[in-house]
Amino acid sequence: MRLTDVFSRSRSPRPQGRRPRLSDSAITPATVVSALILLIAVAWALFPGLFTHFDPNDGGDTPALLSPSLEHWFGTDQTGRDAFTRVVYGASQSLLAALVAVGVGLVVGTAIGLIAGTRKGWLDDVLMRLIDVLLSIPAILLSLSIVVVLGFGTINAAIAVGVTAIAQFARLARSQAVQINTSDFVAAAYGSGGTFGSVLVRHILPNSISPVLSLAVLQIGSAILQISTLGFLGYGTPPPTPEWGLIIAEGRNFVATAWWLTVFPGIVVMAIVLATHQIGNTLRKVTS
């Protein structure tokens, strides 16, 4: 086989029969419902005023602790604020933080994994030992430690959660890079004069990114759950700004008399987390 023949295959190393394709078996009712749930959550974050006309931070003259009704779907909290409105407006804080967290983990973790998978020797050993250290620390403990150092707030909480996700992205990216780095088309790219940076960007990264992106979708749900946990513990968005974890924390003192303040926001968080996991699993099956 000539070198030019090998290099000509570098632009499409995946066999034609294995190209990612959304088959009919992948489009299950659970996937459709999950997609609808995510679309609603995104619409809440982008256009909250279309779903409610109440003020999320001021209840006005509305009585406190009203039970769910046609006017107040999730009831009202201890200050008369509409609970559904706060959940809707809280979507922007929670989803933004989750996207920032996944972005941090995706960019940093993928970069570490690609470098470790293509540069054997001491550099690979050092980077992966650092990843092992991150994996050995419980995620909630690590995120709490980082938030204490950085300070409270949505972005700081997102960065803290993103750091806990770096290890998973790095391990997956490294495993993909190790496989692709031994391929004929990569050797041909080096043989034709390609530098490490150009081969990494043009050949290794594009052919290893699909599983990493599928993991990113899965991590959105986990990030929402971790950020909500930080908000529940008081390390996230400061009140009165609505955030899902904070909303649940504010209603925990009224579980006996106003259960809806914790149950309904909790159901929303659970539904969105399960929806992202379902979509992520579907994408993983498609790209595998």
Side-chain angles (χ1 to χ4, degrees):
M1 181 180 293
R2 294 179 300 175
L3 184 63
T4 55
D5 295 334
V6 175
F7 184 72
S8 65
R9 298 182 181 181
S10 63
R11 298 186 181 277
S12 56
R14 186 190 297 269
Q16 293 294 325
R18 293 186 58 195
R19 286 185 177 178
R21 185 170 60 89
L22 194 61
S23 61
D24 294 336
S25 60
I27 307 178
T28 62
T31 303
V32 175
V33 173
S34 299
L36 291 176
I37 291 174
L38 291 181
L39 287 176
I40 292 174
V42 172
W44 283 358
L46 296 177
F47 312 105
L50 296 179
F51 298 90
T52 178
H53 62 276
F54 293 105
D55 189 326
N57 297 322
D58 186 8
D61 297 330
T62 305
L65 303 180
L66 290 178
S67 60
S69 63
L70 293 178
E71 184 178 5
H72 303 284
W73 291 2
F74 290 1
T76 61
D77 62 9
Q78 65 275 16
T79 61
R81 296 173 299 189
D82 183 72
F84 175 74
T85 298
R86 288 183 60 76
V87 170
V88 170
Y89 278 86
S92 60
Q93 296 290 327
S94 298
L95 294 183
L96 172 62
L99 291 177
V100 172
V102 172
V104 171
L106 174 65
V107 173
V108 179
T110 302
I112 292 175
L114 290 179
I115 294 174
T118 53
R119 289 294 191 181
K120 297 297 183 180
W122 67 268
L123 183 58
D124 180 24
D125 293 336
V126 170
L127 291 177
M128 295 317 295
R129 295 300 77 74
L130 291 175
I131 295 303
D132 290 339
V133 171
L134 288 178
L135 288 173
S136 66
I137 304 175
I140 186 63
L141 177 60
L142 180 58
S143 60
L144 283 173
S145 302
I146 296 174
V147 167
V148 170
V149 173
L150 297 179
F152 302 165
T154 303
I155 299 301
N156 290 341
I159 294 174
V161 173
V163 172
T164 65
I166 289 176
Q168 299 184 49
F169 284 104
R171 287 170 65 93
L172 179 59
R174 180 184 180 278
S175 66
Q176 295 294 315
V178 168
Q179 296 177 6
I180 296 172
N181 195 45
T182 58
S183 301
D184 292 339
F185 70 90
V186 173
Y190 281 118
S192 62
T195 62
F196 171 74
S198 63
V199 173
L200 184 66
V201 173
R202 295 183 57 188
H203 302 288
I204 298 178
L205 176 60
N207 289 285
S208 60
I209 198 64
S210 294
V212 179
L213 293 179
S214 299
L215 176 62
V217 178
L218 283 171
Q219 284 296 316
I220 291 177
S222 299
I224 292 174
L225 198 58
Q226 290 187 54
I227 290 168
S228 297
T229 301
L230 292 177
F232 181 85
L233 296 175
Y235 293 95
T237 304
T241 304
E243 188 273 328
W244 289 339
L246 177 63
I247 294 171
I248 297 174
E250 290 176 341
R252 62 183 169 178
N253 295 326
F254 305 93
V255 172
T257 57
W259 53 268
W260 51 86
L261 296 180
T262 54
V263 171
F264 287 157
I267 291 175
V268 169
V269 174
M270 180 183 67
I272 294 174
V273 170
L274 292 177
T276 56
H277 276 72
Q278 176 65 33
I279 297 296
N281 286 329
T282 300
L283 292 176
R284 185 177 59 182
K285 293 178 182 178
V286 171
T287 56
S288 61

PDB file of all heavy atoms in Angstrom, residues 207-246:
ATOM      1  N   ASN A 207     -11.657  12.673  15.189  1.00  0.00           N
ATOM      2  CA  ASN A 207     -12.032  11.269  15.186  1.00  0.00           C
ATOM      3  C   ASN A 207     -12.210  10.684  16.586  1.00  0.00           C
ATOM      4  O   ASN A 207     -12.583   9.516  16.716  1.00  0.00           O
ATOM      5  CB  ASN A 207     -10.975  10.457  14.431  1.00  0.00           C
ATOM      6  CG  ASN A 207     -11.009  10.711  12.937  1.00  0.00           C
ATOM      7  OD1 ASN A 207     -11.891  10.238  12.231  1.00  0.00           O
ATOM      8  ND2 ASN A 207     -10.060  11.500  12.458  1.00  0.00           N
ATOM      9  N   SER A 208     -11.957  11.485  17.613  1.00  0.00           N
ATOM     10  CA  SER A 208     -12.132  10.996  18.980  1.00  0.00           C
ATOM     11  C   SER A 208     -13.156  11.802  19.767  1.00  0.00           C
ATOM     12  O   SER A 208     -13.422  11.490  20.924  1.00  0.00           O
ATOM     13  CB  SER A 208     -10.787  11.043  19.724  1.00  0.00           C
ATOM     14  OG  SER A 208     -10.282  12.366  19.778  1.00  0.00           O
ATOM     15  N   ILE A 209     -13.757  12.804  19.139  1.00  0.00           N
ATOM     16  CA  ILE A 209     -14.594  13.735  19.890  1.00  0.00           C
ATOM     17  C   ILE A 209     -16.021  13.227  20.090  1.00  0.00           C
ATOM     18  O   ILE A 209     -16.701  13.652  21.033  1.00  0.00           O
ATOM     19  CB  ILE A 209     -14.629  15.113  19.178  1.00  0.00           C
ATOM     20  CG1 ILE A 209     -15.114  16.200  20.121  1.00  0.00           C
ATOM     21  CG2 ILE A 209     -15.482  15.037  17.919  1.00  0.00           C
ATOM     22  CD1 ILE A 209     -14.224  16.446  21.298  1.00  0.00           C
ATOM     23  N   SER A 210     -16.509  12.323  19.242  1.00  0.00           N
ATOM     24  CA  SER A 210     -17.910  11.906  19.333  1.00  0.00           C
ATOM     25  C   SER A 210     -18.259  11.286  20.682  1.00  0.00           C
ATOM     26  O   SER A 210     -19.237  11.691  21.326  1.00  0.00           O
ATOM     27  CB  SER A 210     -18.252  10.939  18.198  1.00  0.00           C
ATOM     28  OG  SER A 210     -18.184  11.592  16.951  1.00  0.00           O
ATOM     29  N   PRO A 211     -17.502  10.303  21.184  1.00  0.00           N
ATOM     30  CA  PRO A 211     -17.833   9.759  22.515  1.00  0.00           C
ATOM     31  C   PRO A 211     -17.695  10.799  23.620  1.00  0.00           C
ATOM     32  O   PRO A 211     -18.443  10.760  24.607  1.00  0.00           O
ATOM     33  CB  PRO A 211     -16.821   8.625  22.692  1.00  0.00           C
ATOM     34  CG  PRO A 211     -16.371   8.280  21.322  1.00  0.00           C
ATOM     35  CD  PRO A 211     -16.400   9.564  20.565  1.00  0.00           C
ATOM     36  N   VAL A 212     -16.771  11.727  23.456  1.00  0.00           N
ATOM     37  CA  VAL A 212     -16.576  12.770  24.467  1.00  0.00           C
ATOM     38  C   VAL A 212     -17.789  13.695  24.516  1.00  0.00           C
ATOM     39  O   VAL A 212     -18.238  14.093  25.591  1.00  0.00           O
ATOM     40  CB  VAL A 212     -15.285  13.563  24.179  1.00  0.00           C
ATOM     41  CG1 VAL A 212     -15.097  14.675  25.215  1.00  0.00           C
ATOM     42  CG2 VAL A 212     -14.078  12.640  24.201  1.00  0.00           C
ATOM     43  N   LEU A 213     -18.339  14.029  23.359  1.00  0.00           N
ATOM     44  CA  LEU A 213     -19.525  14.879  23.326  1.00  0.00           C
ATOM     45  C   LEU A 213     -20.738  14.159  23.913  1.00  0.00           C
ATOM     46  O   LEU A 213     -21.586  14.782  24.561  1.00  0.00           O
ATOM     47  CB  LEU A 213     -19.820  15.325  21.895  1.00  0.00           C
ATOM     48  CG  LEU A 213     -18.788  16.273  21.263  1.00  0.00           C
ATOM     49  CD1 LEU A 213     -19.187  16.615  19.834  1.00  0.00           C
ATOM     50  CD2 LEU A 213     -18.638  17.543  22.090  1.00  0.00           C
ATOM     51  N   SER A 214     -20.830  12.860  23.687  1.00  0.00           N
ATOM     52  CA  SER A 214     -21.912  12.093  24.301  1.00  0.00           C
ATOM     53  C   SER A 214     -21.795  12.117  25.819  1.00  0.00           C
ATOM     54  O   SER A 214     -22.797  12.255  26.531  1.00  0.00           O
ATOM     55  CB  SER A 214     -21.875  10.646  23.800  1.00  0.00           C
ATOM     56  OG  SER A 214     -22.046  10.593  22.390  1.00  0.00           O
ATOM     57  N   LEU A 215     -20.566  12.010  26.309  1.00  0.00           N
ATOM     58  CA  LEU A 215     -20.347  12.108  27.754  1.00  0.00           C
ATOM     59  C   LEU A 215     -20.720  13.497  28.263  1.00  0.00           C
ATOM     60  O   LEU A 215     -21.242  13.629  29.377  1.00  0.00           O
ATOM     61  CB  LEU A 215     -18.883  11.797  28.084  1.00  0.00           C
ATOM     62  CG  LEU A 215     -18.479  11.947  29.556  1.00  0.00           C
ATOM     63  CD1 LEU A 215     -19.261  10.978  30.433  1.00  0.00           C
ATOM     64  CD2 LEU A 215     -16.973  11.725  29.710  1.00  0.00           C
ATOM     65  N   ALA A 216     -20.475  14.524  27.443  1.00  0.00           N
ATOM     66  CA  ALA A 216     -20.811  15.890  27.863  1.00  0.00           C
ATOM     67  C   ALA A 216     -22.311  16.037  28.107  1.00  0.00           C
ATOM     68  O   ALA A 216     -22.732  16.698  29.067  1.00  0.00           O
ATOM     69  CB  ALA A 216     -20.341  16.886  26.809  1.00  0.00           C
ATOM     70  N   VAL A 217     -23.124  15.421  27.240  1.00  0.00           N
ATOM     71  CA  VAL A 217     -24.572  15.483  27.437  1.00  0.00           C
ATOM     72  C   VAL A 217     -24.963  14.775  28.731  1.00  0.00           C
ATOM     73  O   VAL A 217     -25.806  15.256  29.501  1.00  0.00           O
ATOM     74  CB  VAL A 217     -25.306  14.865  26.232  1.00  0.00           C
ATOM     75  CG1 VAL A 217     -26.805  14.877  26.454  1.00  0.00           C
ATOM     76  CG2 VAL A 217     -24.960  15.624  24.957  1.00  0.00           C
ATOM     77  N   LEU A 218     -24.345  13.623  28.983  1.00  0.00           N
ATOM     78  CA  LEU A 218     -24.616  12.921  30.238  1.00  0.00           C
ATOM     79  C   LEU A 218     -24.208  13.760  31.443  1.00  0.00           C
ATOM     80  O   LEU A 218     -24.898  13.768  32.471  1.00  0.00           O
ATOM     81  CB  LEU A 218     -23.857  11.591  30.262  1.00  0.00           C
ATOM     82  CG  LEU A 218     -24.434  10.437  29.443  1.00  0.00           C
ATOM     83  CD1 LEU A 218     -23.451   9.281  29.399  1.00  0.00           C
ATOM     84  CD2 LEU A 218     -25.760   9.982  30.010  1.00  0.00           C
ATOM     85  N   GLN A 219     -23.111  14.482  31.316  1.00  0.00           N
ATOM     86  CA  GLN A 219     -22.594  15.259  32.436  1.00  0.00           C
ATOM     87  C   GLN A 219     -23.452  16.484  32.743  1.00  0.00           C
ATOM     88  O   GLN A 219     -23.363  17.030  33.849  1.00  0.00           O
ATOM     89  CB  GLN A 219     -21.155  15.695  32.146  1.00  0.00           C
ATOM     90  CG  GLN A 219     -20.132  14.589  32.301  1.00  0.00           C
ATOM     91  CD  GLN A 219     -20.047  14.091  33.725  1.00  0.00           C
ATOM     92  OE1 GLN A 219     -20.023  14.853  34.678  1.00  0.00           O
ATOM     93  NE2 GLN A 219     -20.013  12.776  33.885  1.00  0.00           N
ATOM     94  N   ILE A 220     -24.274  16.924  31.790  1.00  0.00           N
ATOM     95  CA  ILE A 220     -25.146  18.070  32.060  1.00  0.00           C
ATOM     96  C   ILE A 220     -26.100  17.735  33.199  1.00  0.00           C
ATOM     97  O   ILE A 220     -26.314  18.540  34.115  1.00  0.00           O
ATOM     98  CB  ILE A 220     -25.922  18.469  30.789  1.00  0.00           C
ATOM     99  CG1 ILE A 220     -24.965  19.063  29.748  1.00  0.00           C
ATOM    100  CG2 ILE A 220     -27.012  19.478  31.126  1.00  0.00           C
ATOM    101  CD1 ILE A 220     -25.626  19.409  28.439  1.00  0.00           C
ATOM    102  N   GLY A 221     -26.684  16.539  33.153  1.00  0.00           N
ATOM    103  CA  GLY A 221     -27.578  16.137  34.234  1.00  0.00           C
ATOM    104  C   GLY A 221     -26.863  16.037  35.564  1.00  0.00           C
ATOM    105  O   GLY A 221     -27.369  16.500  36.593  1.00  0.00           O
ATOM    106  N   SER A 222     -25.677  15.437  35.560  1.00  0.00           N
ATOM    107  CA  SER A 222     -24.907  15.329  36.793  1.00  0.00           C
ATOM    108  C   SER A 222     -24.506  16.699  37.315  1.00  0.00           C
ATOM    109  O   SER A 222     -24.507  16.941  38.530  1.00  0.00           O
ATOM    110  CB  SER A 222     -23.655  14.474  36.550  1.00  0.00           C
ATOM    111  OG  SER A 222     -24.010  13.167  36.143  1.00  0.00           O
ATOM    112  N   ALA A 223     -24.177  17.616  36.391  1.00  0.00           N
ATOM    113  CA  ALA A 223     -23.803  18.968  36.806  1.00  0.00           C
ATOM    114  C   ALA A 223     -24.980  19.702  37.428  1.00  0.00           C
ATOM    115  O   ALA A 223     -24.829  20.410  38.435  1.00  0.00           O
ATOM    116  CB  ALA A 223     -23.261  19.747  35.602  1.00  0.00           C
ATOM    117  N   ILE A 224     -26.172  19.546  36.849  1.00  0.00           N
ATOM    118  CA  ILE A 224     -27.366  20.163  37.427  1.00  0.00           C
ATOM    119  C   ILE A 224     -27.593  19.651  38.836  1.00  0.00           C
ATOM    120  O   ILE A 224     -27.905  20.423  39.765  1.00  0.00           O
ATOM    121  CB  ILE A 224     -28.597  19.888  36.536  1.00  0.00           C
ATOM    122  CG1 ILE A 224     -28.476  20.631  35.214  1.00  0.00           C
ATOM    123  CG2 ILE A 224     -29.887  20.299  37.250  1.00  0.00           C
ATOM    124  CD1 ILE A 224     -29.582  20.298  34.223  1.00  0.00           C
ATOM    125  N   LEU A 225     -27.420  18.354  39.023  1.00  0.00           N
ATOM    126  CA  LEU A 225     -27.630  17.754  40.340  1.00  0.00           C
ATOM    127  C   LEU A 225     -26.594  18.264  41.346  1.00  0.00           C
ATOM    128  O   LEU A 225     -26.942  18.600  42.494  1.00  0.00           O
ATOM    129  CB  LEU A 225     -27.554  16.238  40.220  1.00  0.00           C
ATOM    130  CG  LEU A 225     -28.145  15.423  41.370  1.00  0.00           C
ATOM    131  CD1 LEU A 225     -29.618  15.757  41.565  1.00  0.00           C
ATOM    132  CD2 LEU A 225     -27.976  13.931  41.097  1.00  0.00           C
ATOM    133  N   GLN A 226     -25.325  18.359  40.936  1.00  0.00           N
ATOM    134  CA  GLN A 226     -24.295  18.839  41.852  1.00  0.00           C
ATOM    135  C   GLN A 226     -24.483  20.312  42.181  1.00  0.00           C
ATOM    136  O   GLN A 226     -24.312  20.727  43.340  1.00  0.00           O
ATOM    137  CB  GLN A 226     -22.914  18.626  41.233  1.00  0.00           C
ATOM    138  CG  GLN A 226     -22.489  17.177  41.148  1.00  0.00           C
ATOM    139  CD  GLN A 226     -21.048  17.036  40.697  1.00  0.00           C
ATOM    140  OE1 GLN A 226     -20.138  17.610  41.285  1.00  0.00           O
ATOM    141  NE2 GLN A 226     -20.837  16.283  39.635  1.00  0.00           N
ATOM    142  N   ILE A 227     -24.830  21.121  41.184  1.00  0.00           N
ATOM    143  CA  ILE A 227     -25.032  22.549  41.419  1.00  0.00           C
ATOM    144  C   ILE A 227     -26.242  22.772  42.318  1.00  0.00           C
ATOM    145  O   ILE A 227     -26.227  23.640  43.199  1.00  0.00           O
ATOM    146  CB  ILE A 227     -25.186  23.278  40.073  1.00  0.00           C
ATOM    147  CG1 ILE A 227     -23.837  23.291  39.338  1.00  0.00           C
ATOM    148  CG2 ILE A 227     -25.687  24.702  40.269  1.00  0.00           C
ATOM    149  CD1 ILE A 227     -23.918  23.722  37.909  1.00  0.00           C
ATOM    150  N   SER A 228     -27.280  21.982  42.113  1.00  0.00           N
ATOM    151  CA  SER A 228     -28.446  22.078  42.992  1.00  0.00           C
ATOM    152  C   SER A 228     -28.075  21.680  44.419  1.00  0.00           C
ATOM    153  O   SER A 228     -28.576  22.268  45.383  1.00  0.00           O
ATOM    154  CB  SER A 228     -29.576  21.177  42.475  1.00  0.00           C
ATOM    155  OG  SER A 228     -30.014  21.596  41.195  1.00  0.00           O
ATOM    156  N   THR A 229     -27.197  20.700  44.548  1.00  0.00           N
ATOM    157  CA  THR A 229     -26.739  20.302  45.881  1.00  0.00           C
ATOM    158  C   THR A 229     -25.976  21.431  46.555  1.00  0.00           C
ATOM    159  O   THR A 229     -26.179  21.719  47.746  1.00  0.00           O
ATOM    160  CB  THR A 229     -25.852  19.050  45.788  1.00  0.00           C
ATOM    161  OG1 THR A 229     -26.593  17.983  45.184  1.00  0.00           O
ATOM    162  CG2 THR A 229     -25.374  18.616  47.166  1.00  0.00           C
ATOM    163  N   LEU A 230     -25.091  22.087  45.804  1.00  0.00           N
ATOM    164  CA  LEU A 230     -24.359  23.226  46.362  1.00  0.00           C
ATOM    165  C   LEU A 230     -25.313  24.356  46.748  1.00  0.00           C
ATOM    166  O   LEU A 230     -25.146  24.995  47.789  1.00  0.00           O
ATOM    167  CB  LEU A 230     -23.320  23.728  45.355  1.00  0.00           C
ATOM    168  CG  LEU A 230     -22.138  22.798  45.070  1.00  0.00           C
ATOM    169  CD1 LEU A 230     -21.253  23.398  44.000  1.00  0.00           C
ATOM    170  CD2 LEU A 230     -21.336  22.546  46.346  1.00  0.00           C
ATOM    171  N   GLY A 231     -26.317  24.603  45.887  1.00  0.00           N
ATOM    172  CA  GLY A 231     -27.305  25.630  46.215  1.00  0.00           C
ATOM    173  C   GLY A 231     -28.115  25.273  47.439  1.00  0.00           C
ATOM    174  O   GLY A 231     -28.434  26.130  48.267  1.00  0.00           O
ATOM    175  N   PHE A 232     -28.449  24.001  47.574  1.00  0.00           N
ATOM    176  CA  PHE A 232     -29.203  23.542  48.742  1.00  0.00           C
ATOM    177  C   PHE A 232     -28.395  23.737  50.026  1.00  0.00           C
ATOM    178  O   PHE A 232     -28.944  24.093  51.079  1.00  0.00           O
ATOM    179  CB  PHE A 232     -29.569  22.068  48.571  1.00  0.00           C
ATOM    180  CG  PHE A 232     -30.363  21.500  49.698  1.00  0.00           C
ATOM    181  CD1 PHE A 232     -31.744  21.636  49.730  1.00  0.00           C
ATOM    182  CD2 PHE A 232     -29.743  20.809  50.734  1.00  0.00           C
ATOM    183  CE1 PHE A 232     -32.486  21.108  50.775  1.00  0.00           C
ATOM    184  CE2 PHE A 232     -30.480  20.285  51.786  1.00  0.00           C
ATOM    185  CZ  PHE A 232     -31.858  20.431  51.796  1.00  0.00           C
ATOM    186  N   LEU A 233     -27.088  23.537  49.953  1.00  0.00           N
ATOM    187  CA  LEU A 233     -26.222  23.689  51.119  1.00  0.00           C
ATOM    188  C   LEU A 233     -25.858  25.150  51.393  1.00  0.00           C
ATOM    189  O   LEU A 233     -25.232  25.442  52.411  1.00  0.00           O
ATOM    190  CB  LEU A 233     -24.944  22.870  50.931  1.00  0.00           C
ATOM    191  CG  LEU A 233     -25.134  21.348  50.847  1.00  0.00           C
ATOM    192  CD1 LEU A 233     -23.817  20.663  50.529  1.00  0.00           C
ATOM    193  CD2 LEU A 233     -25.724  20.806  52.144  1.00  0.00           C
ATOM    194  N   GLY A 234     -26.243  26.046  50.474  1.00  0.00           N
ATOM    195  CA  GLY A 234     -25.970  27.458  50.683  1.00  0.00           C
ATOM    196  C   GLY A 234     -24.690  27.950  50.060  1.00  0.00           C
ATOM    197  O   GLY A 234     -24.238  29.065  50.367  1.00  0.00           O
ATOM    198  N   TYR A 235     -24.081  27.165  49.154  1.00  0.00           N
ATOM    199  CA  TYR A 235     -22.824  27.551  48.536  1.00  0.00           C
ATOM    200  C   TYR A 235     -22.992  28.006  47.086  1.00  0.00           C
ATOM    201  O   TYR A 235     -22.000  28.223  46.401  1.00  0.00           O
ATOM    202  CB  TYR A 235     -21.837  26.377  48.571  1.00  0.00           C
ATOM    203  CG  TYR A 235     -21.386  26.023  49.964  1.00  0.00           C
ATOM    204  CD1 TYR A 235     -22.026  25.017  50.686  1.00  0.00           C
ATOM    205  CD2 TYR A 235     -20.320  26.678  50.563  1.00  0.00           C
ATOM    206  CE1 TYR A 235     -21.626  24.669  51.958  1.00  0.00           C
ATOM    207  CE2 TYR A 235     -19.903  26.347  51.842  1.00  0.00           C
ATOM    208  CZ  TYR A 235     -20.561  25.340  52.535  1.00  0.00           C
ATOM    209  OH  TYR A 235     -20.158  25.010  53.794  1.00  0.00           O
ATOM    210  N   GLY A 236     -24.204  28.124  46.625  1.00  0.00           N
ATOM    211  CA  GLY A 236     -24.437  28.500  45.241  1.00  0.00           C
ATOM    212  C   GLY A 236     -24.904  29.939  45.111  1.00  0.00           C
ATOM    213  O   GLY A 236     -24.374  30.850  45.747  1.00  0.00           O
ATOM    214  N   THR A 237     -25.931  30.122  44.294  1.00  0.00           N
ATOM    215  CA  THR A 237     -26.470  31.458  44.048  1.00  0.00           C
ATOM    216  C   THR A 237     -27.074  32.035  45.320  1.00  0.00           C
ATOM    217  O   THR A 237     -27.902  31.386  45.964  1.00  0.00           O
ATOM    218  CB  THR A 237     -27.542  31.393  42.954  1.00  0.00           C
ATOM    219  OG1 THR A 237     -26.988  30.800  41.785  1.00  0.00           O
ATOM    220  CG2 THR A 237     -28.059  32.783  42.626  1.00  0.00           C
ATOM    221  N   PRO A 238     -26.681  33.250  45.713  1.00  0.00           N
ATOM    222  CA  PRO A 238     -27.237  33.832  46.947  1.00  0.00           C
ATOM    223  C   PRO A 238     -28.689  34.259  46.749  1.00  0.00           C
ATOM    224  O   PRO A 238     -29.078  34.650  45.647  1.00  0.00           O
ATOM    225  CB  PRO A 238     -26.329  35.041  47.205  1.00  0.00           C
ATOM    226  CG  PRO A 238     -25.803  35.416  45.847  1.00  0.00           C
ATOM    227  CD  PRO A 238     -25.676  34.133  45.081  1.00  0.00           C
ATOM    228  N   PRO A 239     -29.511  34.167  47.797  1.00  0.00           N
ATOM    229  CA  PRO A 239     -30.910  34.618  47.704  1.00  0.00           C
ATOM    230  C   PRO A 239     -30.948  36.136  47.549  1.00  0.00           C
ATOM    231  O   PRO A 239     -29.993  36.829  47.917  1.00  0.00           O
ATOM    232  CB  PRO A 239     -31.498  34.165  49.044  1.00  0.00           C
ATOM    233  CG  PRO A 239     -30.332  34.016  49.958  1.00  0.00           C
ATOM    234  CD  PRO A 239     -29.171  33.626  49.113  1.00  0.00           C
ATOM    235  N   PRO A 240     -32.040  36.681  46.975  1.00  0.00           N
ATOM    236  CA  PRO A 240     -33.283  35.986  46.590  1.00  0.00           C
ATOM    237  C   PRO A 240     -33.300  35.469  45.167  1.00  0.00           C
ATOM    238  O   PRO A 240     -34.359  35.063  44.688  1.00  0.00           O
ATOM    239  CB  PRO A 240     -34.322  37.096  46.768  1.00  0.00           C
ATOM    240  CG  PRO A 240     -33.594  38.339  46.357  1.00  0.00           C
ATOM    241  CD  PRO A 240     -32.176  38.152  46.840  1.00  0.00           C
ATOM    242  N   THR A 241     -32.157  35.511  44.458  1.00  0.00           N
ATOM    243  CA  THR A 241     -32.127  35.014  43.086  1.00  0.00           C
ATOM    244  C   THR A 241     -32.568  33.558  43.042  1.00  0.00           C
ATOM    245  O   THR A 241     -32.025  32.726  43.766  1.00  0.00           O
ATOM    246  CB  THR A 241     -30.705  35.128  42.515  1.00  0.00           C
ATOM    247  OG1 THR A 241     -30.274  36.487  42.608  1.00  0.00           O
ATOM    248  CG2 THR A 241     -30.675  34.695  41.056  1.00  0.00           C
ATOM    249  N   PRO A 242     -33.544  33.225  42.213  1.00  0.00           N
ATOM    250  CA  PRO A 242     -34.044  31.837  42.193  1.00  0.00           C
ATOM    251  C   PRO A 242     -33.035  30.888  41.555  1.00  0.00           C
ATOM    252  O   PRO A 242     -32.463  31.167  40.501  1.00  0.00           O
ATOM    253  CB  PRO A 242     -35.323  31.931  41.357  1.00  0.00           C
ATOM    254  CG  PRO A 242     -35.137  33.143  40.497  1.00  0.00           C
ATOM    255  CD  PRO A 242     -34.312  34.098  41.298  1.00  0.00           C
ATOM    256  N   GLU A 243     -32.821  29.791  42.218  1.00  0.00           N
ATOM    257  CA  GLU A 243     -31.981  28.694  41.723  1.00  0.00           C
ATOM    258  C   GLU A 243     -32.563  27.423  42.309  1.00  0.00           C
ATOM    259  O   GLU A 243     -33.011  27.413  43.454  1.00  0.00           O
ATOM    260  CB  GLU A 243     -30.532  28.913  42.134  1.00  0.00           C
ATOM    261  CG  GLU A 243     -29.532  27.941  41.523  1.00  0.00           C
ATOM    262  CD  GLU A 243     -29.391  26.675  42.352  1.00  0.00           C
ATOM    263  OE1 GLU A 243     -29.533  26.782  43.589  1.00  0.00           O
ATOM    264  OE2 GLU A 243     -29.161  25.599  41.775  1.00  0.00           O
ATOM    265  N   TRP A 244     -32.571  26.340  41.545  1.00  0.00           N
ATOM    266  CA  TRP A 244     -33.332  25.168  41.931  1.00  0.00           C
ATOM    267  C   TRP A 244     -32.931  24.608  43.292  1.00  0.00           C
ATOM    268  O   TRP A 244     -33.785  24.270  44.114  1.00  0.00           O
ATOM    269  CB  TRP A 244     -33.201  24.095  40.853  1.00  0.00           C
ATOM    270  CG  TRP A 244     -33.953  24.468  39.606  1.00  0.00           C
ATOM    271  CD1 TRP A 244     -34.980  25.373  39.507  1.00  0.00           C
ATOM    272  CD2 TRP A 244     -33.739  23.957  38.294  1.00  0.00           C
ATOM    273  NE1 TRP A 244     -35.418  25.458  38.213  1.00  0.00           N
ATOM    274  CE2 TRP A 244     -34.686  24.609  37.435  1.00  0.00           C
ATOM    275  CE3 TRP A 244     -32.856  23.047  37.734  1.00  0.00           C
ATOM    276  CZ2 TRP A 244     -34.747  24.334  36.072  1.00  0.00           C
ATOM    277  CZ3 TRP A 244     -32.923  22.773  36.384  1.00  0.00           C
ATOM    278  CH2 TRP A 244     -33.868  23.415  35.562  1.00  0.00           C
ATOM    279  N   GLY A 245     -31.650  24.495  43.561  1.00  0.00           N
ATOM    280  CA  GLY A 245     -31.224  23.995  44.860  1.00  0.00           C
ATOM    281  C   GLY A 245     -31.619  24.919  45.993  1.00  0.00           C
ATOM    282  O   GLY A 245     -32.048  24.475  47.067  1.00  0.00           O
ATOM    283  N   LEU A 246     -31.500  26.225  45.761  1.00  0.00           N
ATOM    284  CA  LEU A 246     -31.879  27.207  46.773  1.00  0.00           C
ATOM    285  C   LEU A 246     -33.380  27.174  47.029  1.00  0.00           C
ATOM    286  O   LEU A 246     -33.829  27.310  48.182  1.00  0.00           O
ATOM    287  CB  LEU A 246     -31.448  28.600  46.324  1.00  0.00           C
ATOM    288  CG  LEU A 246     -31.838  29.766  47.228  1.00  0.00           C
ATOM    289  CD1 LEU A 246     -31.180  29.626  48.596  1.00  0.00           C
ATOM    290  CD2 LEU A 246     -31.445  31.096  46.583  1.00  0.00           C
TER     291      LEU A 246
END
